[in-house]
Amino acid sequence: KSGASSMKRRESETTMPKFKDDTTLETHKLAGSNYGYTAARPDQLTATEYTLAQVVFDESGSTSPFARQMEKALQAIVRACRMSPRADNLMLRTLNFGSRLREVHGFKPLNGCHEADYDGAYQPGGGTALFDSTHNAVEATNAYARQLSDNDFQVNAVVFVLTDGDDNESKFKAADVGKALQACVAGESMESIISILIGVNVNGMAQSGGTLDDYLKRFAAEAGFTQYVGIDNLDDKALAKLCEFVSKSISSQSQALGTGGPSKTLDF
């Protein structure tokens, strides 16, 4: 019985189930990966330009003590972004990862994202597929930006990846993430992309030796992230600061759309 249960769990993980099944989103595959993404159809979009925002959350087993905090963080980010003067030009995708990737929802206009939808969205357990999830986020951004650009939309993007551990599950490497980020620029489907890696509780030790902070700094440098932020302790004060940082960064990048370049990075 336990073996059958384990098999069903693994099968569920590999299909990347969505927290809320949204029939307005199309499913897309990504070359070279078992994981794709979902996104709104271009003919359903009403604006002429969009900022594609992605929030990628580590939900490995070590995040269990602050799982509810992370749900509240996502809700706070959505709430703040909905108050932005550029809210109608924002699209959001949320992706969680433990040992496998789990798309909470695909790219959809922010006005279709509601705080209550994220209750129960955080389901901690498993290892840390940090590289695979980051690679998927970047590849999905690039693919969807290309689709929108081909349909005469103007696009830029911002990707946030939050983790409390070093990778121990991925097929892809840090260098693969770097190649994916470079392809976003070379592809010219986006005006600009900002990528921000956020480490939490970074004073702990990495499995590969040294501190987690050192490990994530190396990952950020090798992959070519725009910015790295290390948070020593994820208490309520730090969480509130994190939510403000993410929502302001999204808003800033959206306001930069049409200027020909990315927004300036913000101090945490």
Side-chain angles (χ1 to χ4, degrees):
K1 184 178 180 180
S2 60
S5 176
S6 177
M7 183 176 294
K8 287 181 180 179
R9 183 167 61 251
R10 288 196 299 271
E11 289 173 351
S12 175
E13 289 170 343
T14 58
T15 58
M16 202 171 71
K18 295 180 288 297
F19 175 63
K20 294 283 187 181
D21 195 18
D22 192 334
T23 57
T24 67
L25 304 183
E26 289 183 315
T27 299
H28 301 269
K29 294 182 179 180
L30 291 172
S33 174
N34 293 329
Y35 306 107
Y37 68 97
T38 63
R41 295 193 301 272
D43 60 7
Q44 293 182 318
L45 303 178
T46 57
T48 59
E49 58 183 36
Y50 285 97
T51 293
L52 306 180
Q54 276 197 85
V55 181
V56 184
F57 275 162
D58 182 344
E59 61 177 4
S60 58
S62 58
T63 67
S64 297
F66 50 90
R68 182 54 185 155
Q69 287 176 293
M70 298 312 299
E71 281 185 11
K72 289 182 177 180
L74 186 53
Q75 290 171 325
I77 291 166
V78 170
R79 180 168 61 250
C81 287
R82 285 174 64 93
M83 296 173 64
S84 167
R86 294 276 298 171
D88 290 342
N89 302 94
L90 292 176
M91 298 185 73
L92 179 66
R93 180 189 187 224
T94 58
L95 180 68
N96 292 1
F97 68 95
S99 296
R100 299 289 185 270
L101 284 60
R102 189 173 63 84
E103 186 183 71
V104 179
H105 66 75
F107 291 109
K108 64 179 181 178
L110 191 66
N111 59 19
C113 303
H114 306 283
E115 293 176 53
D117 293 341
Y118 301 95
D119 286 330
Y122 207 76
Q123 301 171 13
T128 307
L130 174 60
F131 300 156
D132 280 1
S133 59
T134 306
H135 188 270
N136 175 275
V138 175
E139 288 272 280
T141 299
N142 198 17
Y144 190 47
R146 188 182 309 115
Q147 183 184 16
L148 293 182
S149 179
D150 289 345
N151 283 273
D152 298 323
F153 292 92
Q154 192 172 6
V155 185
N156 70 0
V158 56
V159 177
F160 299 88
V161 180
L162 185 146
T163 184
D164 79 330
D166 48 340
D167 190 282
N168 56 18
E169 292 281 357
S170 292
K171 176 185 75 174
F172 291 105
K173 307 295 183 184
D176 297 318
V177 175
K179 291 177 183 177
L181 280 169
Q182 291 169 9
C184 287
V185 178
E188 299 184 353
S189 296
M190 280 176 280
E191 184 174 273
S192 65
I193 181 171
I194 288 177
S195 52
I196 302 175
L197 177 63
I198 302 169
V200 299
N201 300 333
V202 295
N203 286 336
M205 299 299 293
Q207 294 179 11
S208 54
T211 66
L212 178 61
D213 194 47
D214 290 337
Y215 175 89
L216 293 177
K217 284 178 179 176
R218 289 195 299 271
F219 172 39
E222 186 174 356
F225 277 87
T226 307
Q227 187 175 2
Y228 168 70
V229 173
I231 301 173
D232 292 341
N233 297 295
L234 192 65
D235 55 18
D236 288 343
K237 183 178 180 180
L239 195 66
K241 187 177 179 182
L242 171 64
C243 295
E244 181 181 16
F245 171 76
V246 171
S247 57
K248 283 187 174 181
S249 295
I250 293 173
S251 179
S252 179
Q253 178 67 340
S254 182
Q255 290 171 12
L257 186 56
T259 66
S263 64
K264 293 182 179 179
T265 57
L266 305 178
D267 293 329
F268 180 74

